[in-house]
Every structure is written in C-alpha cells, then in structure tokens.
C-alpha cells in the first residue's frame, strides 16, 4: 500500500510517499522559514497561502521522484491537528478532495503522533513498548508507547515547550527565528567555566512534568546584568547559549531517565524539532548507557516537520483499517 502524506500544520509544506512493503519512496520539504523570519515568528495568514501554493506542485514532484502516478496511491494522509487552523485547512482540504476524486481512503493524522513515529522510518528502530520524549516548538511530553495508537501521557510542560524556550532565549540575544539551531551552534564556542548558571527546573521533586518559563526569566535577567556591566559581547552570547542549552538538556535527560525507571523500560525515542539537538542526543546516549538503556531518533530532516512522518503514521492507521469521513474536521488543539 502506498500512502501519500501531507504535512501543513505550521511553516513547512512536507509531502512524502510511504510504501508499507518498500518503505519511504520519496519526500520533499518546502520551508517557509525565510518568509516568517523577518516577523520573528510564524504569520498564520502567510503560512496558509503558501501551503495552498506549494502543496499540489510538491505532490507532483514526489510522484515523479517515486516513478508513480496518482492512480498508484492507496490512501492519502494529512495532518489534521494540532496546528494553525488555516494551515491545517489547506492540507486537509487538498488531501481530502484528492482522496475523494481517486476514490481512496483519507486519513487525518495527529501531528505529534507523526513526530513520535518518525524514528520508525530509520533502519535502527526500537521494538514497542518504549518511552517517547516529544520536544518541539509547541510540545514537551513524555509518553509511554505500547502500540500504534496506544499512548499514555506520563508528563508534560506546565508552561513553555522546550523549543519555545530555545526560540525565546535566542530572540533575547538577537538571534533569528527559529532560534534552537542558532543557540546550539553558538553554544559550541561557549566556555563551560564561564560562571553562568541556570536552574534545572522541577528536577528536585518527583514527577515527570516540566517547566521552562522560569529558565527563560533567568536567561533574561542574566542578559540584563551583562548589558548593565558591559559584558554583553560575542563571547558572552556563546557562554550564555551553552549554559542555557546545558540546563535544558540536563533537565530533559533527568526526566527521560526517570520515566524509563518508573515504567521499567530501556528504550527511548526522542522526536520533534529539539530532538535534532546534538548535545541532547550525546547526553542521552551516555547517561542512558549507564542504566543499560538506549536512545533512538530520526535523521535531522525528519526531526522537524516533514511529510514522511505523516505518510508513515497514516500507513500504520490504514493497516489498522482506519480512515477519516468526508466531513473532515481539523483541530487547532488536540491532545495526543
Ligand atoms: O517539530 P518542529 O519542527 O515544529 C513544531 O511542531 O513545533 O520543532 C521546531 C522547534 C523550534 O522551536 C526550534 O527552535 C527547535 O525545534 N529546534 C532545535 C534544534 N533544531 C530545531 N532546538 C534546539 N536545538 C536544535 N538543534
Ligand atoms: Zn512539529
């Protein structure tokens, strides 16, 4: 079965074809990041318009790359939430109409389920059950995964998502949007002995919830102090980026380890934009090795938004005999 996947929940148009026998056949991502960068965040109206413009040409591109025509498709999966309403509507309308015209099933996919399953597109993938850490611009969640569709939320951020914290911190020191990758590359030149220290929020008490808004405030205070003392220069920016990245990564690592211990599991998947972070991957690998655990993740382009994860999640749903009715609905907010 060949499933076309459409991802249009935010600022990337991601299109892919996943074959339940042969695996991923083709995928393309068009990023709108440059258009939104000058506004410091995603402008919903611009995002929807661009998805409308790009989705059909990209579908033609992936079909050509896979050497297929529309008649070869078995189903169409599209992101039906959570995300920006107009952006979701663009993909859902195109996906649903195309499925109707081809007389094949359409599948509305949860964006976070897509992220969660993205590491399953790789050769090295874990058996279920496992723990998933979902870390994106909008979510920070620890989930126990027993089977496709069988997810138990173990903990989540009570305020800002980890990616959001990276983006806000980056903005405070004048870095472009989205700031996560910029903080990470600045941090490579940071001095670990700079003396800048940030808290590891909510790690000193039991539980698997997160809170990143205090860290953001601590970051702003440190920036103001440096400005007042005229210490705010390129080296300071690298040092504070490193201290911040270490604080977020340590916090995530502590909670992942705790989740594995609590659930008596050894396998962890990390997914979502922040799972592209090199320090997070390295720290998890070394810290989990000590308890006999292992960590799995997707290649960097499948950590952030992409169509392959939606095509894959849709294919799993199709195998389970599911599909979405004609009167499709999209959901801006939608718990996993
Ligand atoms: O999953 P994603 O592409 O979109 C959402 O669904 O939110 O995640 C985007 C988030 C942004 O906050 C971005 O700054 C962050 O992922 N991100 C990173 C890195 N790459 C992307 N954060 C830290 N380190 C990175 N290397
Ligand atoms: Zn996402």
């Amino acid at each position: 079965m060949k499933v076309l996947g459409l991802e249009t929940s935010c600022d990337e148009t991601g299109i892919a074809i996943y074959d339940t026998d042969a695996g991923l056949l083709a995928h393309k991502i068009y990023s709108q990041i440059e258009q939104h960068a000058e506004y410091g965040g995603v402008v919903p109206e611009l995002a929807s318009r661009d998805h409308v413009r790009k989705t059909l040409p990209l579908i033609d591109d992936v079909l050509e790359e896979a050497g297929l025509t529309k008649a070869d498709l078995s189903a169409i999966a599209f992101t039906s939430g959570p995300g920006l309403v107009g952006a979701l509507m663009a993909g859902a309308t195109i996906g649903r109409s195309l499925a109707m015209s081809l007389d094949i099933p359409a599948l509305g996919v949860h964006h976070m389920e897509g992220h969660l399953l993205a590491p399953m597109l790789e050769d090295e993938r874990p058996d279920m059950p496992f723990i998933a850490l979902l870390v994106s611009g909008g979510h920070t969640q620890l989930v126990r995964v027993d089977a496709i569709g069988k997810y138990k939320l173990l903990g989540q951020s009570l305020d800002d998502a980890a990616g959001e914290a990276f983006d806000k911190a980056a903005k405070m020191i004048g870095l472009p949007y989205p700031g996560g990758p910029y903080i990470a590359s600045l941090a490579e030149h940071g001095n670990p002995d700079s003396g800048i220290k940030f808290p590891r929020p909510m790690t000193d008490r039991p539980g698997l919830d997160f809170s990143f808004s205090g860290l953001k405030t601590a970051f702003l205070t440190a920036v103001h102090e440096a400005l007042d003392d005229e210490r705010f220069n390129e080296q300071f920016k690298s040092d504070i980026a490193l201290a911040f990245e270490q604080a977020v990564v340590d916090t995530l690592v502590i909670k992942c380890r705790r989740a594995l211990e609590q659930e008596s599991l050894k396998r962890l998947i990390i997914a979502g934009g922040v799972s592209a972070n090199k320090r997070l991957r390295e720290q998890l690998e070394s810290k989990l090795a000590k308890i006999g655990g292992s960590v799995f993740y997707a290649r960097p382009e499948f950590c952030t938004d992409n169509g392959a994860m939606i095509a894959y999640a849709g294919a799993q749903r199709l195998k389970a005999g599911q599909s979405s009715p004609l009167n499709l609905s999209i959901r801006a907010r939608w718990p996993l």
Side-chain angles (χ1 to χ4, degrees):
M1 290 185 293
K2 295 175 178 61
V3 179
L4 176 72
L6 315 179
E7 156 59 34
T8 67
S9 69
C10 192
D11 58 352
E12 343 261 350
T13 315
I15 314 287
I17 301 171
Y18 183 83
D19 184 333
T20 46
D21 295 322
L24 191 64
L25 300 183
H27 74 97
K28 292 248 182 273
I29 300 175
Y30 167 75
S31 174
Q32 309 173 349
I33 279 180
E34 272 176 30
Q35 292 181 48
H36 300 291
E38 62 176 299
Y39 302 98
V42 179
V43 183
E45 175 61 24
L46 293 182
S48 343
R49 278 193 232 172
D50 232 24
H51 289 307
V52 171
R53 223 160 46 86
K54 286 287 175 193
T55 303
L56 285 172
L58 281 175
I59 291 175
D60 289 339
D61 287 355
V62 291
L63 283 167
E64 193 186 327
E65 193 180 308
L68 300 174
T69 68
K70 290 191 180 88
D72 298 313
L73 297 173
S74 325
I76 299 184
F78 53 87
T79 305
S80 52
L84 301 170
V85 175
L88 289 167
M89 278 306 288
T93 311
I94 293 170
R96 194 68 192 85
S97 317
L98 199 54
M100 189 172 73
S101 72
L102 296 169
D103 200 19
I104 55 176
L107 301 128
V109 169
H110 194 295
H111 181 76
M112 296 314 291
E113 180 178 39
H115 273 305
L116 189 156
L117 297 176
M120 304 300 272
L121 286 159
E122 305 301 336
D123 294 338
E124 232 180 277
R125 53 190 166 175
D127 292 330
M128 292 178 189
F130 55 74
I131 300 290
L133 171 73
L134 298 174
V135 265
S136 72
H139 294 80
T140 303
Q141 296 183 329
L142 275 164
V143 179
R144 181 188 165 108
V145 178
D146 283 294
I148 301 284
K150 204 160 170 250
Y151 310 126
K152 182 178 165 208
L153 183 65
L154 303 174
Q156 63 184 330
S157 178
L158 305 177
D159 41 58
D160 292 352
E164 193 180 355
F166 267 105
D167 295 342
K168 287 179 176 169
K171 202 171 174 180
M172 289 178 209
I173 52 171
L175 298 174
Y177 172 85
Y182 292 98
I183 292 265
S185 58
L186 259 189
E188 286 181 22
H189 311 287
N191 172 8
D193 302 316
S194 69
I196 306 172
K197 288 248 177 317
F198 289 123
R200 274 61 176 154
M202 295 183 71
T203 53
D204 56 353
R205 66 188 98 157
L208 295 171
D209 285 334
F210 303 89
S211 164
F212 290 108
S213 77
L215 199 50
K216 182 183 66 187
T217 314
F219 190 94
L220 186 62
T221 308
V223 168
H224 281 157
E225 282 171 6
L227 282 168
D228 289 347
D229 304 346
E230 294 179 5
R231 282 183 290 113
F232 190 85
N233 55 23
E234 286 309 306
Q235 188 56 49
F236 172 82
K237 285 206 263 181
S238 298
D239 293 347
I240 196 170
L242 175 62
F244 180 81
E245 185 182 46
Q246 276 175 330
V248 176
V249 166
D250 278 359
T251 307
L252 294 173
V253 171
I254 290 168
K255 295 285 163 115
C256 284
R257 199 177 150 158
R258 199 178 279 177
L260 288 171
E261 282 167 352
Q262 177 189 302
E263 298 296 311
S264 305
L265 292 175
K266 297 279 183 208
R267 293 175 295 268
L268 175 80
I269 263 189
I270 54 170
V274 182
S275 72
N277 186 277
K278 227 172 98 205
R279 186 177 307 275
L280 177 64
R281 293 174 169 204
E282 288 167 2
Q283 289 289 315
L284 277 171
E285 265 165 21
S286 71
K287 296 275 161 55
L288 294 191
K290 289 183 187 150
I291 55 163
S294 42
V295 57
F296 299 84
Y297 38 77
R299 70 196 87 163
E301 63 191 318
F302 292 165
C303 289
T304 47
D305 294 348
N306 66 86
M309 67 185 195
I310 302 303
Y312 180 83
Q316 305 313 310
R317 296 266 165 195
L318 186 68
K319 275 205 255 178
Q322 298 179 10
S323 68
S324 300
L326 252 186
N327 59 339
L328 69 101
S329 53
I330 53 119
R331 296 171 69 175
R333 290 176 172 277
W334 184 10
L336 186 65

